[in-house]
Amino acid sequence: MSQVSGFLEGERDYGNLKGDTGPLVYPAGFLYIYSALQHVTRGQVYPAQILFGLLYIVNLAIVLSIYVKTSVVPWWALSLLALSKRVHSIFVLRLFNDCFATTFLHAALFFLLKQKWHLGLIIFSAAVSVKMNVLLYAPALLILMLQAMDVFGVISALAGAALVQILLGLPFLLTHPVAYLSKAFNLGRVFIHFWSVNFKFVPEPTFISREFAVALLVAHLGLLTVFAHYRWCRHEGGLPSLLRLKIAELSSFSMTRFYCTSSTTKLLRTEYIATTMFVGNFIGIVCARSLHYQFYSCFSCAGM
């Protein structure tokens, strides 16, 4: 709430937006949501807890529908999704923005399972506008899009997602674009070692070093490449074969065909879509330099 105060007072320079926990590092969607919460709750915790409790129920309902649609676990196992005390704490006690980002993400996945790729991408982009860690799903999502749609469909879906980011960030992009992009989408930010829950055993000098960050990035890209080539794209003959096919489609791209021809789609199995998304996210989590407790909301409901 303290971070949105400056925005509500008219400040549009992201470099000047800060609160008790430090400078603002989240995209514009975060500001709009918490500004609305400020207006509805008058900054009081208890009304906000009620709203977050309702948000938890919505998120749980979406996750349950995802599992039911994919039929990957017996019905009795679905009850386990509602037993995480950590997730309850994150939603109803901590009131983290991860709760909104994760709910948007699961809603996007729900529509992806229904093969509604353009709508799914728009909601996915809304999730990214709340918190950038949702981008851990992006590599797996891109593979799925390349498999499900021709290159024209992929381009149009990505354009829709980009348009969401532009519209949400417009007040800041028109006034202080560099400050907004560098603060809201800072990929090189170093987290405080004290708050890390995954690499706590690593000495702090190593943890904050550039070499450690590069090693994790290489491991992340390497694991994604291995899974993409040997698991996700094996029916296409591997990742290079899929990329060659899309490059061939792109070479015949023309704006006239883009506007006059509807893209073709291929139906993907719901279990495959969900598994690919969750595995892609888990790879990112394993290779993330710093995970805080609220990151559990991103995979504890969906990693069973």
Side-chain angles (χ1 to χ4, degrees):
M1 289 299 185
S2 60
Q3 289 182 329
V4 306
S5 299
F7 169 70
L8 293 175
E9 293 170 1
E11 180 61 66
R12 296 297 180 266
D13 186 349
Y14 247 63
N16 296 330
L17 293 175
K18 56 190 66 178
D20 298 334
T21 58
L24 179 60
V25 294
Y26 306 122
F30 161 83
L31 279 178
Y32 301 141
I33 290 175
Y34 277 80
S35 295
L37 286 174
Q38 176 83 296
H39 177 74
V40 172
T41 66
R42 305 299 185 202
Q44 298 181 22
V45 173
Y46 182 66
Q49 287 180 304
I50 295 175
L51 293 177
F52 272 80
L54 295 174
L55 180 67
Y56 169 76
I57 294 173
V58 171
N59 177 67
L60 182 61
I62 296 172
V63 173
L64 287 172
S65 66
I66 290 173
Y67 274 92
V68 169
K69 195 170 184 62
T70 54
S71 302
V72 293
V73 294
W75 65 268
W76 57 265
L78 298 178
S79 61
L80 300 177
L81 293 170
L83 299 181
S84 172
K85 292 178 64 177
R86 175 66 67 183
V87 174
H88 296 167
S89 173
I90 290 169
F91 271 84
V92 183
L93 293 180
R94 307 300 179 178
L95 315 181
F96 285 125
N97 60 331
D98 302 73
C99 305
F100 285 97
T102 303
T103 302
F104 280 131
L105 181 277
H106 289 149
L109 179 55
F110 175 80
F111 285 105
L112 295 179
L113 295 181
K114 297 173 72 69
Q115 314 291 323
K116 297 184 182 298
W117 296 96
H118 287 76
L119 178 57
L121 259 289
I122 289 174
I123 301 175
F124 180 86
S125 185
V128 173
S129 77
V130 179
K131 194 165 187 179
M132 235 189 2
N133 63 287
V134 176
L135 288 175
L136 292 177
Y137 286 91
L141 177 55
L142 179 59
I143 292 293
L144 292 171
M145 291 169 57
L146 291 173
Q147 293 174 324
M149 297 186 288
D150 58 26
V151 70
F152 312 107
V154 173
I155 292 174
S156 62
L158 291 176
L163 182 60
V164 171
Q165 294 298 323
I166 293 172
L167 292 176
L168 291 175
L170 200 59
F172 311 99
L173 293 172
L174 291 176
T175 52
H176 301 87
V178 176
Y180 176 67
L181 295 174
S182 62
K183 294 290 185 179
F185 299 98
N186 183 2
L187 297 175
R189 185 159 59 100
V190 179
F191 291 92
I192 300 174
H193 179 260
F194 176 80
W195 295 111
S196 175
V197 296
N198 56 330
F199 283 113
K200 195 79 169 183
F201 61 91
V202 176
E204 185 172 2
T206 302
F207 178 84
I208 64 175
S209 68
R210 181 177 177 83
E211 292 76 12
F212 186 59
V214 171
L216 289 175
L217 177 61
V218 171
H220 188 189
L221 295 177
L223 286 172
L224 286 173
T225 302
V226 169
F227 270 83
H229 183 68
Y230 291 104
R231 296 287 298 176
W232 303 334
C233 301
R234 65 180 184 272
H235 295 300
E236 288 84 4
L239 181 60
S241 299
L242 178 63
L243 293 178
R244 280 195 296 268
L245 174 62
K246 297 306 171 181
I247 291 173
E249 291 179 2
L250 186 61
S251 64
S252 61
F253 175 82
S254 69
M255 292 306 296
T256 301
R257 183 179 174 188
F258 180 74
Y259 286 115
C260 299
T261 305
S262 59
S263 62
T264 58
T265 59
K266 171 187 174 183
L267 291 179
L268 301 179
R269 291 183 299 109
T270 55
E271 179 184 348
Y272 171 70
I273 295 173
T275 302
T276 301
M277 290 287 285
F278 290 151
V279 170
N281 177 57
F282 186 71
I283 290 172
I285 288 171
V286 169
C287 299
R289 176 156 52 165
S290 181
L291 296 180
H292 297 173
Y293 285 115
Q294 59 266 36
F295 276 68
Y296 279 105
S297 65
C298 302
F299 63 90
S300 58
C301 282
M304 200 171 66

